[in-house]
Amino acid sequence: MPPADSPFGRMAYLVLNQILSRGLTFVLNALVVRALDASTYGVASVRLNLVLLTAASLVRDTVRQVTARSADDRQLALRLAWLAPALATVVMAGVLAIERRADEAARPGYRIALALYCTSSVLEATAEPAYVAVQVHMLWASRALVEGSAHLARCVLTYTLLRTRGPALALEAFAWAQVAYAITLAGGFWLGALLRGDPLVPWRGHGCPDRRLAGGEGAHGPGRLLGAYALQQLAKYALTHGESLVLLAWVADAEQGTYALVLNLGSLLARFLLEPAEETAFAHLAQHARAAAEARGRADAHSVNAGNADAAEDDIEHAARAERAEALAAAGEVLARVARRLLLAGLVFAAFGPAFSRLLLQLVYGLRWSGGRAPVLLASYCVHVPVMALNGVLEAAVRALATPAQLGAFNRYLGACAVAYWLGMLLLLRAGLGLHGMVLANAVNLGARAAHHLRLLGRLFGPTTDGAGCERQWARKLLPTVAQAAMLLAAAVAVSALALRQRKEPVIGLRDAALHLAVGAANFIAVACALVRVETGVSVAQLLRGFVRARAKSL
């Protein structure tokens, strides 16, 4: 088991707590979906959920990334965090203005639900000042407890309201449950901050360092970073949630429900593994960025005060560059291992997911969902998971290490990708590919972004003596071996053969399902053990024993 204070240890802790805390919520969500028709689920999961995603992308993520870069100055981070509720209020007022003419007759209860969702977004933003300590000190256990409790409260209340008030008031049930989630989240973070005695007021107290921004990026550093990250999040919002905007404009509510169901199932890997890995990589690499900036600031200060200015500046500059190169090389090795293992996890998902898509929908959500278009769409989604896994962690690394000027260039590239992505989705929809066209457009978009990140990070982490070859040399560390690729392909063929035999049957029988699961489990165990052995040098049994011992010591 990796040490708890290492990047892999922090990531493992987040992943395991995500699985434990959200396992029950997944079961409750399945029960909720079974009780709804596709149209109602589409409105709740696409139209109303887009309200939450808008506030999270444009406000919460922007503020959290800037506070992570300025974490060494707690008061500056708090002042930035206190902007979140005001910014969320402005954004939600814009959403209400846009949706003021919504068709209430076609969607009963929609306006009330929309107002409650907007209120929930503002309440959730009030947690940001208390979240600063969680981000600065990397309190992963506290965060997992609070977020897991909030998710559980939302699912339990949603299911309870649907059972007591009926599917006719489903939108209001989703909305009140979302308010409960926001109250639990904000209350949990604030209670934890108060119990720990963390400073929460946005003014300077005794003993606080008088630094405008970690790394000495100048008096205008916070404003520049906030603007750069805001533009980046706006472009990322268009890229990540552009499909939801296209769904609202071009696709009926029932088709939105099918796509949302597939997206929620397909994104389980993202929620359980990719998001914790991305956040851990960002936090770890942001520390290297701050350290490099502080080293540069010390070098500049020494060069000004040196007696022999030219010679001293050359010596200090050489030492600073050597220190920065050594730190970046270490960070590059960690990032390469994380990215490679996430790519392998995505390839495992792509190998096994398509063959089990129909069986999974039948077991979890019932025949209403497994008999339509959802199984084939879920299979298409699984195939593009590897490029999603690779792009996510590489993009987190770029965000953590880029300077404001580099972030500006990065934002322009993301903007171009967003325009191309939207046009691609619209063209493929008009060409008759339907929802499969949206998945294909997203795969191409993620691949283009990952290629850009590989080139940028290859220049940063690769050996500087090899010229253009440094990019390829670092990128090769991320690729699976030929033996690993052949093993995954063989497993995919074995499990897909059974799925093709069952395709003509209207319902997968108990005997066929048991055979399919047995073959899939045998192949998965063989693949997992081989990959873990090669990547870590230890067996799965040793990893499990290490985790059990670590958990026992923490109790």
Side-chain angles (χ1 to χ4, degrees), residues 47-138:
R47 187 175 292 271
L48 288 175
N49 193 50
L50 189 60
V51 175
L52 304 176
L53 296 175
T54 300
S57 297
L58 302 185
V59 178
R60 185 196 67 190
D61 292 348
T62 299
V63 171
R64 287 186 180 182
Q65 288 172 6
V66 178
T67 55
R69 290 288 292 263
S70 57
D72 286 351
D73 190 336
R74 177 69 66 85
Q75 294 302 316
L76 175 59
L78 279 174
R79 285 196 293 272
L80 292 169
W82 276 100
L83 291 174
L87 294 175
T89 302
V90 172
V91 172
M92 290 301 99
V95 170
L96 287 173
I98 293 172
E99 287 285 279
R100 67 184 184 278
R101 297 180 181 178
D103 187 359
E104 180 72 13
R107 306 181 183 94
Y110 176 72
R111 290 182 181 176
I112 295 176
L114 176 65
L116 290 174
Y117 265 75
C118 291
T119 302
S120 169
S121 296
V122 176
L123 289 174
E124 191 174 339
T126 62
E128 292 308 304
Y131 179 82
V132 167
V134 174
Q135 182 168 259
V136 170
H137 299 300
M138 299 183 182

Side-chain angles (χ1 to χ4, degrees), residues 150-174:
H151 283 291
L152 181 61
R154 177 174 58 189
C155 291
V156 170
L157 187 56
T158 301
Y159 182 68
T160 303
L161 290 175
L162 283 174
R163 288 294 301 269
T164 56
R165 305 182 67 179
L169 298 175
L171 295 183
E172 293 184 25
F174 276 101

Side-chain angles (χ1 to χ4, degrees), residues 20 37 47 74 83 97 104 147 180 182 218 264 300 317 329 344 407 412 426 434 477 488 510 534 552 555:
L20 294 175
D37 60 88
R47 187 175 292 271
R74 177 69 66 85
L83 291 174
E104 180 72 13
E147 292 184 348
N264 289 336
D300 291 341
E317 181 71 17
L344 287 172
L407 283 175
R412 289 189 291 273
L426 292 175
K477 298 179 181 179
L488 289 168
L510 181 60
V534 171
L555 296 178

Side-chain angles (χ1 to χ4, degrees), residues 493-532:
V493 171
V495 296
S496 298
L498 286 175
L500 290 175
R501 288 177 55 190
Q502 300 165 355
R503 192 168 63 176
K504 295 182 179 180
E505 299 295 332
V507 179
I508 301 177
L510 181 60
R511 183 177 180 179
D512 289 338
L515 177 61
H516 198 175
L517 289 173
V519 173
N523 280 273
F524 178 79
I525 291 173
V527 168
C529 290
L531 291 179
V532 169

Side-chain angles (χ1 to χ4, degrees), residues 10-27 29 144 147-148 151 263-280 342 345 349 360 365 385 388:
R10 292 193 292 265
M11 186 182 77
Y13 200 92
L14 275 179
V15 170
L16 291 169
N17 277 279
Q18 284 274 24
I19 294 173
L20 294 175
S21 64
R22 297 199 182 187
L24 181 58
T25 63
F26 174 75
V27 175
N29 272 326
E147 292 184 348
H151 283 291
L263 195 64
N264 289 336
L265 259 182
S267 62
L268 285 177
L269 178 69
R271 290 200 298 268
F272 289 153
L273 178 61
L274 302 186
E275 286 182 6
E278 291 167 16
E279 294 177 11
T280 303
L342 290 178
F349 204 82
L360 177 64
Y365 298 114
V385 165
M388 179 176 70

Side-chain angles (χ1 to χ4, degrees), residues 281-464:
F282 181 87
H284 180 67
L285 294 173
Q287 291 178 339
H288 287 276
R290 291 197 303 270
E294 289 177 352
R296 175 68 182 181
R298 290 193 301 269
D300 291 341
H302 284 306
S303 65
V304 171
N305 298 326
N308 187 351
D310 293 336
E313 183 175 359
D314 290 342
D315 292 341
I316 295 174
E317 181 71 17
H318 179 73
R321 287 183 177 179
E323 179 182 355
R324 179 177 180 273
E326 183 178 354
L328 286 177
E333 289 298 321
V334 173
L335 177 62
R337 290 198 301 272
V338 172
R340 173 187 170 85
R341 293 172 186 179
L342 290 178
L343 178 59
L344 287 172
L347 289 172
V348 171
F349 204 82
F352 289 88
F356 288 90
S357 59
R358 185 187 171 198
L359 179 59
L360 177 64
L361 289 170
Q362 179 179 314
L363 294 176
V364 177
Y365 298 114
L367 296 177
R368 175 189 295 178
W369 294 96
S370 64
R373 301 179 180 179
V376 181
L377 186 63
L378 179 58
S380 299
Y381 186 91
C382 291
V383 173
H384 98 300
V385 165
V387 68
M388 179 176 70
L390 184 61
N391 173 74
V393 68
L394 296 182
E395 196 162 287
V398 171
R399 293 199 313 269
L401 297 171
T403 64
Q406 290 172 330
L407 283 175
F410 181 49
N411 292 338
R412 289 189 291 273
Y413 181 79
L414 287 183
C417 287
V419 173
Y421 177 40
W422 283 35
L423 291 176
M425 282 192 295
L426 292 175
L427 289 174
L428 292 174
L429 279 173
R430 297 294 296 271
L433 293 180
L435 298 177
H436 297 280
M438 297 183 65
V439 175
L440 176 60
N442 190 41
V444 174
N445 159 55
L446 291 174
R449 289 159 60 184
H452 170 271
H453 306 332
L454 279 173
R455 184 178 181 184
L456 179 62
L457 293 171
R459 292 176 178 175
L460 183 64
F461 294 134
T464 58

